[in-house]
Amino acid sequence: MVEEVRNIHRRVLPNGLTIITEEMEHIRSVCIGVWIKTGSRDEDPQWNGISHFVEHMVFKGTKHRTAEGIARQVDSIGGNMDAFTAKECVCFNMKVLDEHLPVAIDILGDLVLNPVFAVNDITRERGVIIEEIKMDEDSPDYLVHEIFTQNFWKDHPLGKPILGTKDTVRRFERDPVLDFYGQRFSPGNLVICAAGHLKHQKFEELVGQHFDHMKPVKNGFHSPPPKVAPRIVMRNKKSLEQVQICVGVPAHPIAHQRRHASYILNTVLGGGMSSRLFQNIRERQGLAYAIYSDLSPYRDTGCLAVYAGTSRESAAKVVQSIVSEFRQLKTEMVPEEELRRAKDQLKGSLMLSLESSTARMSNLARQEMYFDHFYGLDELIAKIESVSAEEVRALANEFFQTDSIAVTILGNLNGLKLTRSQLAC
């Protein structure tokens, strides 16, 4: 069956693999993505980080190409190839000129279907990823988010780091890697998307040539929804000049019907230079250089978190200023003019973000993974426009509860204390 919305075509092959394309007549590029619909949250705790490890390993050589051969061939057509692992998916993608589409699919198909996982490559890559973990641990804003997430969804795979830990990575040998690969890289767990200057029929034939022979595998993973642990965590790290702060509350899952009001709430609170947090804490009080809020929705839960970097002396004041913004959003309606600005900001960034073939390709994959149909831009804009100030206030009252606020503070704390009563909102 092929659904046609705008110029989006969707087809599921007999073995369960989903193919989606969006034809964009006015550009010369094509971006192709091979998406695996499970990520780090679907790992066993002892193999934490293995999705990311396998994502690295497929680039180390296939039955037909060496690692250098892959890199040379991509460069020879002027392509960009990339991959990433997230909590709920893994993606391998490549952007090329339309004329190089068959080569791109051949390379991506080879990577995904024929990796060799050589023992010496596995040993070497363990070392590389341990260095990557160390590099991230040296980055304080990354570290505070990681500590926050691990405590917010404590004892649940969603809270575990995508890269894994030094201990789990050291355990990765060829057998568990092959076992994991065999389970996850199965047709029912794959979505292949492309956006750009292409014809659906031709793309489908190319994908079929490579992926048709894949055998279906039963894999019913999906970890249970996590419970939130709203704790106050103080972590001392003497070497840091700044105190890093993360303040977060539970939010709605990604496909929740009130998600558009969440976007607006986040935009008003800390989504840009005109946001309340930026204007109040940076511009008026001069307490932080970096401050923003961010929405992280997943399939069955979500988090709205505020990040700030400040001095130890100002840390308590920054937390209290953040909480007072929560309080104000609960008690007072967002003024009409501010609501208008937030809607226009969201619409503008949404439209700008969908101008590239890469963004369109990612958008197709996410809609396939989380929603039951493809939302056109006009439909999204109408949903954003329909959000009222009353809805935003109701959502603030639902999200910002004193007992559900989690805080992580990292830095040279030197006796800094924070109690639940300071979070009263």
Side-chain angles (χ1 to χ4, degrees), residues 240-404:
L240 295 183
E241 289 286 331
Q242 260 196 329
V243 170
Q244 308 286 321
I245 300 171
C246 215
V247 180
V249 293
H252 290 150
I254 200 161
H256 196 278
Q257 71 230 41
R258 292 169 68 195
R259 63 186 176 277
H260 305 93
S262 308
Y263 301 153
I264 294 207
L265 176 65
N266 178 56
T267 304
V268 168
L269 177 65
M273 285 163 58
S274 66
S275 70
R276 293 182 174 192
L277 288 171
F278 192 95
Q279 286 300 316
N280 178 9
I281 293 171
R282 176 172 159 156
E283 300 296 295
R284 285 188 206 106
Q285 300 187 63
L287 296 178
Y289 169 71
I291 180 152
Y292 58 84
S293 68
D294 217 356
L295 209 50
S296 305
Y298 298 103
R299 60 175 179 248
D300 51 10
T301 185
C303 174
L304 173 60
V306 175
Y307 162 80
T310 189
S311 66
R312 194 189 71 80
E313 295 70 43
S314 304
K317 193 167 182 200
V318 168
V319 172
Q320 283 171 319
S321 298
I322 292 168
V323 172
S324 79
E325 293 300 340
F326 291 175
R327 195 179 308 118
Q328 196 179 345
L329 282 162
K330 286 171 70 171
T331 53
E332 298 168 27
M333 294 278 211
V334 174
E336 198 47 52
E337 180 239 354
E338 191 180 5
L339 187 66
R340 176 77 271 137
R341 210 170 50 230
K343 287 179 179 179
D344 289 343
Q345 184 187 335
L346 262 179
K347 291 190 312 192
S349 61
L350 192 68
M351 287 188 206
L352 291 174
S353 72
L354 288 176
E355 283 195 343
S356 74
S357 53
T358 308
R360 289 287 179 108
M361 181 280 292
S362 298
N363 187 44
L364 288 178
R366 292 185 199 289
Q367 302 231 22
E368 168 66 26
M369 288 191 278
Y370 294 112
F371 300 100
D372 49 5
H373 82 281
F374 297 104
Y375 288 86
L377 203 53
D378 294 342
E379 198 177 349
L380 280 171
I381 285 169
K383 295 267 194 205
I384 289 167
E385 278 299 343
S386 71
V387 174
S388 67
E390 184 46 63
E391 254 182 291
V392 174
R393 193 177 74 159
L395 210 55
N397 275 288
E398 184 186 339
F399 287 178
F400 304 134
Q401 303 278 343
T402 304
D403 290 343
S404 60

Side-chain angles (χ1 to χ4, degrees), residues 32-34 58 62-65 81 92 94 101-115 181 185 190 192 206-207 209-211 213-214:
I32 311 131
V34 178
V58 304
T62 69
K63 290 173 187 160
H64 310 117
R65 292 172 170 90
M81 185 157 70
F92 302 92
M94 195 163 167
L101 182 62
V103 184
I105 292 178
D106 189 59
I107 296 170
L108 277 174
D110 196 20
L111 281 181
V112 170
L113 297 171
N114 306 308
Y181 169 82
F185 286 61
L190 287 181
I192 299 184
L206 285 168
V207 170
Q209 286 166 20
H210 293 277
F211 290 88
H213 68 278
M214 287 182 86

Side-chain angles (χ1 to χ4, degrees), residues 188-201:
N189 206 27
L190 287 181
V191 179
I192 299 184
C193 292
H197 199 257
L198 57 90
K199 287 279 171 271
H200 179 80
Q201 198 55 46

